[in-house]
Every structure is written in structure tokens, then in C-alpha cells.
Amino acid sequence: MTDHALIRTTNKPAEPWRQRLIRSLLYGRNVDRAAKARARVGLAILAFACVYAILAGRLVMFAVGADNHGARRTASQDAIATARPDIVDRNGEVLATDVKAPSLFAEPRRIIDKDEAIELLTATLPDLDIGEVRDRISSRKGFAWLKREITPKQQQDIHRLGIPGIGFLRENKRVYPTGAEVAHLIGLVNIDNQGIAGMEKWLDSNGLADLHRAGFATDRLQKPVELSVDLRVEHALRDELMKAKEKFKAKAASGIISNVRTGEIVAMVSLPDFDPNNPREAHDPERINRLTTGVYEMGSTFKAFTLAMALDSGKINLNSMWDARGNLHYGKFTIHDSHQLGRFINTKEVFTYSSNIGAARIALGQGVEAHKAFLAKMGQLTRLRTELPESAAPLVPRRWGELNTVTVAFGQGLSVAPLQAVMGINALVNGGYLIPPTFLKRSEAEAAAMAKRVVKQETSDKMRYLMRLNAEIGTAKSADVKGYYVGGKTGTSEKVINGRYAKKRVLNSFTAIMPADDPMYQILVMIDEPQALPETHGFITSGWNAVPTGGNVISRIAPLLGVEPRFDLPPSDRLILATSKTTQ
């Protein structure tokens, strides 16, 4: 080999300064290359060991907590019954609450033998539909419900089968400890614990559904919802209405007890009702809430509005006279009274004898526009809005002429929800203030802030006097429970069947206040299509059924409501009129 060749072999080209700098920064100088390689291999082995340890841990978690992971997977695929706040009455008694119940689900991708799984599950749960189960298990979904709200024993039996891909999830199930007692007020929820009627639906529409979607509606973060209803009073009202419905073989019976000073609904019953623990009953059209969803001609109870309108105008007084010597003929229609008096009667007698002729003449004297305006001011011509989603709009004549004023004056030709009639009567006796009704607890100060004056104090005094006088000498005598100074007004309205009024099919109502000199509560009792009994001497009018039922209700609820009895009180003209600023 020549010297020139040797020089080419031993003299390697110099390493660029950039590479030397990078190598020195990464490895340093004078480092043993073999030791450095061994360190890199050890580091790689440690990294792979950590990765495999994490994967093994996750697999163990999936195996142990399959139900919880299944729950997470359902968040975007299937609704899970979320938590709801307790609903309690005004005294803290639980009306609705959540309990935990297991539900059965499948993870179709993990099921090895689908036919075997279907056979075992349907044998254990005979009410499962084989075709539906097969469709769900055969799907390509990662999660599918098989049966919601199973019993602990069913859960145990299925668990023993040991089927891969079958699991359980504890959900919130809504239960109603009081059963049907407050059914129409509370409402109910669907299988996903979402409110679909009554106060349950109101809860969802007032923020609960948003909390659920945000994930904040947990068991621990929700305060009970306090209602205005008193469960004790509710039970007494329902019990008396059930007795009356059975006794008079009525189609239905309903009632409301309202605080006239606050607008709170203390009790509300509509029979037939349903058990919210058995939702199928709620779909029966005969079980609607007749007090808010139904609209009816309220009959002679509407005469209270007619007389209040005229008295408030100042055009008449309690001693004004009205011609009741004969029937009132208006076009081809004839207005007559149940009890023909054949003479002139004063305003007080129009009320106590419940004279259709007198009420019609009073309304005509005020005029059509004044009549419409007064009823609108009393909230009788528009839909009443409360917390309950179920509400019906009144049926108001499209063209309101004099004939409409004549008939509406005594409660025909205008159909309203009974609850809005209660609201109007409250205003007539509480000093003249219209207060929206509520199913939530409300103080008198809160009610005063939203109250709207609709009649004068003097008019309210006169209406209380008339209602008490009617219990002393008029059609409400059988509801005059001693010690409670009851006042009241009866109503018997013939139902419209095939476009004609049917004399034998009536809707009876009785509205009462107690005590009449300083009212605290209004009681409305309604009986739909009562039948005549020997003790009613063949009569089916309100005085023979709704009024005595109202008396029974008052005798039971007055002590519960803290209304103390007072005996030996003077008659209404001395206790009510004499202490007011009114003139006759």
C-alpha cells in the first residue's frame, strides 16, 4: 500500500461542528457507549411495564364495576332516571319521593350466546317480550335497557344466571306514599323520572330539567318543594266526597278548599281519581282533574258575581226591588224561577231565593258591556294560569248580546274552570282583592303584593252578608254548621246534552265561606249527575246533596284548620252589616 493510500484511509473527514454540539449536549463528553445503551434499554422496559400495568388495572376496573361503566355509556344513548326533590305538604308530610330500584340492561357486544341469554332471561322474567328482547340484544349498540325497575329478588335470580353482558343499574324511582290522596295535584312522572303532569311537570318546566341536563340535580343538592295543601284536610275532603258520590250514585264529585286571604289551595279533590304509583290509571278520560281541566256552567253560584257587579256600581242597594211577578220573556226564550214568587222581591231575596228572573233584570240594568267588563276584571273570561300545567280556557260566547247577559247572569251560557270561579268568589268576600290561586305556600304579605282590587270594601261586606243570610234563611241552611258562622251559595245547572238542556242530568255546586264575618276559607263542593233518593223526596237540586256534603266537610276540616267555634253569635244584619261602613 502506498503512502498516499494510507493517508486517505486513516484521515477521516472532520465532524461538522453542529453535530459535535448536539452530541455533546445529548450525551456529554467521554461517556461509555455500552453503559449508555444498557440504560436506554432499561428505560424502554420500564416504560412498557407501566403501560401494561395501566391496561391491566383498567381491565380489572371494567370487570368489577361493569354496572357503573354501563351507566356512563348510556349517557348519550339511553335516558337514566335522575333524582327529583321530595314534594311535601304544608306540614312537611311527604307526598312524593325517590327510592332506589334496580334496572336490567344488556351490553349486546359482550353477550357470547344470545339465544341462550334470551331463553334464560325470559324464563326468569316471564313478562318480558321475547321479540323485543331479541331485537335489543341483537342490536349493535353498546347498551340497551331490558326492563326498568325490577324487584331485588328478580335481580338476585338474574345475577345467579351469570350471563356475560347482562348487568344492573340502580335508578331513582318515584313513589307516592299517599297514593291517590293528592293525585291530580301532584301529577306523576314517566319511566325516566321526568314529570308529565301536575306539580311534577311544573318542577321540570321550572328549572329541574335544566339541572338534570347540567348534571347538578343530585340526591344531595335538592331541597323539598313545599306545597300549600294540607294532607289532613285533603283526606277529610276526599273521604266526604267519596261518601257523597256513592250515596247519590253520582258520575263524579270534586271539591276545593282555598285560603281567601292568600289564594293558597289547601285541598283539591276530583273523583274518580287515580293512583300515581300506577300510571296506567291516569290515562282514563273519566279521571281528569275536573277543577282545572274541565269547564262548566256554574249555575246559580254565578249570581254572586251579578249582584256584586250591580252593588259595586252604586246603582242598586240591598233593598232595591225587582219584578218577579211572572216569567221573563226575551224573544223566543222564557226565563223562570224554580220557586215562583209572584211578586216584587228585593235584592236580598234575589240571592236567598236564587231568582233567575231577578238576576237577569239586575244584569240587564247594568248593560252588556259593563257585564262583560266586570267578569273580565274578575278573571272569568280568560284562561287561568297556575302551577298546574293542566288548565282549560273558558267557553265564552263569540257574540255577546243582551240574551247572553240574561243567561250568564244566573250561570248559563258561560263555562269556566271551577278553580277560576273560586278565585273570583274569594275576591268578593276577602275585602275586594283578586289574588291568583297557588299550590305553593304563600304568606299574606306575599299575597298582598300581587293582589288587585276589583270591588270596594263595602261591596265585599254586602256579599258576605248575603252569603251568611243565605245560610240563615235561604238555600244553604243545611250547611250551617253551628259555631262556624258559615255563609254560602248553591248552584244547580242542567247539563247540555246534544245541544239541549237535560233537566234530569245536572251538575250541582255549593260554595261556602267560613266564618262569614271575617272569612278565612272558601269551600267548593261539586256533584255531577246525582240521583234522587227517597230522603231527597225525588229532588236532585244542590240543596239536597251538595249542600249537606259541604256541611259534613266543614264540620271535619274546621278544627284541622284552626278555626275556633263561636256560639250565640248575632244574625248577619247585626254582626256583618252593623259593623261595616255600608248602607243598605
Side-chain angles (χ1 to χ4, degrees), residues 284-298:
D284 185 348
E286 291 298 317
R287 299 176 187 268
I288 64 168
N289 184 354
R290 299 167 189 271
L291 299 165
T292 61
T293 306
V295 292
Y296 308 95
E297 294 181 352
M298 295 300 292

Side-chain angles (χ1 to χ4, degrees), residues 180 188 273-287:
L188 69 165
D273 51 19
F274 61 92
D275 185 350
N277 295 301
N278 182 13
R280 292 181 181 178
E281 293 182 352
H283 299 299
D284 185 348
E286 291 298 317
R287 299 176 187 268

Side-chain angles (χ1 to χ4, degrees), residues 384-401:
L384 175 63
R385 300 292 187 180
T386 67
E387 294 86 3
L388 291 189
E390 302 82 19
S391 64
L395 300 180
V396 182
R398 291 184 179 179
R399 297 181 180 178
W400 193 308

